[in-house]
Amino acid sequence: MKKFICKLVIFFCLDIVLLSGLLILSAQDRWRMPIASLTKSEEYFKGNVGAGEIIPFIEKVQEKNSYTKLILGDSVCNQIYNRFQVKNDVYCIAGTNRAVTLAGQYLLAEEFIKNHDKVTDIYLIILMDSLITDFDYQFGYQYVIMPFTETDTIEFLKEETKKELYRKYGSFFCQKPVVEIIDKSPLNRKLYLNFLVEKDKVSTEKSTSVISKVSYEYLEKLYYMCEETGIKLHLLSGPHADTPERHQLEEKMKKELERKGIMENFESYFNSITYFPIDLFRDGVHFDEEVVPNDFYEEIIYKTCLKDFKVK
């Protein structure tokens, strides 16, 4: 009996070693795609997702140069403003997407301020959707944990926030070596992200707030950081599709902010909301590039009254 148990333990140990070896090997350049093909996980490495999409923006705001103004925002901000970076030598334009959450936007702003001496203005241009966004199980890991862990910038989040991330994703899976192995391997992405899908299904976490907790917390931190450093923060809205659902969401947000007694902090945001016909959008959120000409984006930018912003 003892011999059988010993053999069983050895068998399981060998299995663990072999499996661990496969997972580590799947993150190596030489073996990444062959293993992905074998395990039918190629799709998890397609597209510019997660760290590959966000790290270039982290590096951009860290670059020491003569920029004095920063534009941050979600994917609609990205669609409208990023195209004009080559024409602007005053503005650093770093529109990313809503999945980075307001915590990620805060980290980008902090890195910009640390690496630039004469910052005067920061523009945060986001849809109402971005104010709703919290750390979700899939995109939160790919767009917050991965890029900010791999660049060692996640440490500048609040301790309470880091504990929340560890609880949601598991502290082991938030360690830099583990994050890098998951990021570089389609197989590991497939296994871990599918685990998060299942975890999300059984999650009992519910929020009654329209605007997410992380948005409230990191907008406050962003305002405080800008106030401390003498920088003017502009919270502005991106353009929305003119639908009943969008107008209803605006009213819900206003009522929540009035109940909390902080509506005055968001007045400029709601005053900047513009609505456009739904047929100009390809998905109800982003403009349809086949319908909207480049001049249209210029008109939107003119309406935001960004000083010194160049489109020509």
Side-chain angles (χ1 to χ4, degrees):
M1 186 66 178
K2 286 183 180 179
K3 285 184 180 181
F4 173 75
I5 293 173
C6 274
K7 287 180 180 180
L8 199 60
V9 170
I10 291 170
F11 174 77
F12 280 119
C13 287
L14 284 172
D15 271 358
I16 291 169
V17 169
L18 289 172
L19 179 59
S20 299
L22 177 65
L23 298 179
I24 293 170
L25 202 62
S26 70
Q28 304 302 311
D29 292 342
R30 181 180 177 184
W31 298 103
R32 179 181 297 123
M33 296 320 294
I35 292 175
S37 178
L38 185 67
T39 57
K40 301 188 184 303
S41 52
E42 303 102 317
E43 65 182 281
Y44 288 85
F45 215 61
K46 290 178 182 176
N48 192 22
V49 296
E53 183 177 343
I54 304 303
I55 286 177
F57 289 106
I58 298 173
E59 292 172 344
K60 183 176 184 178
V61 298
Q62 289 174 331
E63 217 173 276
K64 294 184 183 296
N65 47 45
S66 60
Y67 292 134
T68 58
K69 299 178 182 180
L70 173 66
I71 293 177
L72 297 172
D74 50 30
S75 57
V76 172
C77 171
N78 180 310
Q79 184 184 32
I80 296 170
Y81 291 88
N82 288 26
R83 67 184 65 224
F84 296 108
Q85 180 64 86
V86 69
K87 301 180 185 298
N88 286 273
D89 52 9
V90 172
Y91 288 88
C92 174
I93 308 171
T96 52
N97 60 50
R98 64 180 280 194
V100 303
T101 73
L102 266 290
Q105 304 291 4
Y106 169 82
L107 291 176
L108 290 169
E110 184 177 54
E111 289 302 304
F112 184 77
I113 293 170
K114 285 194 300 190
N115 289 284
H116 295 80
D117 296 328
K118 299 177 181 178
V119 183
T120 61
D121 297 83
I122 293 178
Y123 295 83
L124 179 58
I125 305 173
I126 53 176
L127 299 186
M128 289 183 285
D129 291 341
S130 293
L131 289 173
I132 296 171
T133 301
D134 206 338
F135 304 118
D136 70 20
Y137 278 97
Q138 282 233 4
F139 292 113
Y141 189 82
Q142 294 181 86
Y143 286 90
V144 179
I145 297 295
M146 281 183 171
F148 295 105
T149 297
E150 290 181 36
T151 56
D152 299 314
T153 49
I154 203 161
E155 63 183 283
F156 301 113
L157 293 178
K158 293 166 58 177
E159 286 303 316
E160 180 185 336
T161 304
K162 286 188 278 188
K163 287 178 182 177
E164 180 184 346
L165 292 172
Y166 294 160
R167 178 185 56 77
K168 185 176 284 277
Y169 304 112
S171 59
F172 174 77
F173 296 102
C174 293
Q175 303 309 307
K176 187 174 180 178
V178 179
V179 170
E180 289 176 334
I181 287 175
I182 293 174
D183 186 20
K184 293 175 182 176
S185 164
L187 171 59
N188 293 340
R189 275 178 177 261
K190 179 179 182 178
L191 292 172
Y192 183 65
L193 294 179
N194 276 290
F195 162 74
L196 290 179
V197 168
E198 296 306 313
K199 188 176 181 183
D200 189 18
K201 288 177 182 177
V202 298
S203 172
T204 57
E205 294 178 2
K206 299 290 179 185
S207 175
T208 56
S209 178
V210 181
I211 297 173
S212 70
K213 178 185 173 184
V214 68
S215 291
Y216 280 125
E217 288 182 347
Y218 282 91
L219 268 177
E220 184 179 1
K221 277 183 71 65
L222 190 51
Y223 272 114
Y224 182 71
M225 179 172 64
C226 288
E227 187 178 1
E228 269 195 324
T229 49
I231 297 167
K232 189 166 184 182
L233 176 64
H234 310 263
L235 177 61
L236 301 172
S237 170
H240 291 77
D242 193 0
T243 64
E245 292 78 14
R246 291 287 155 185
H247 288 283
Q248 289 165 13
L249 178 58
E250 180 182 349
E251 290 309 308
K252 283 181 182 178
M253 284 188 170
K254 286 178 177 177
K255 287 178 182 177
E256 178 172 293
L257 293 165
E258 284 166 0
R259 285 197 306 271
K260 289 178 176 286
I262 54 174
M263 182 60 195
E264 65 275 9
N265 297 338
F266 289 81
E267 281 180 0
S268 62
Y269 176 80
F270 288 105
N271 289 338
S272 70
I273 292 179
T274 52
Y275 289 98
F276 292 87
I278 186 65
D279 56 6
L280 295 180
F281 296 81
R282 69 171 188 262
D283 56 6
V285 177
H286 304 91
F287 287 111
D288 187 339
E289 300 283 351
E290 295 182 3
V291 174
V292 173
N294 205 57
D295 290 351
F296 181 79
Y297 297 118
E298 295 175 13
E299 290 175 17
I300 291 175
I301 291 169
Y302 283 134
K303 289 179 182 178
T304 61
C305 300
L306 270 70
K307 298 175 183 177
D308 308 324
F309 192 92
K310 298 174 183 177
V311 296
K312 300 290 187 183

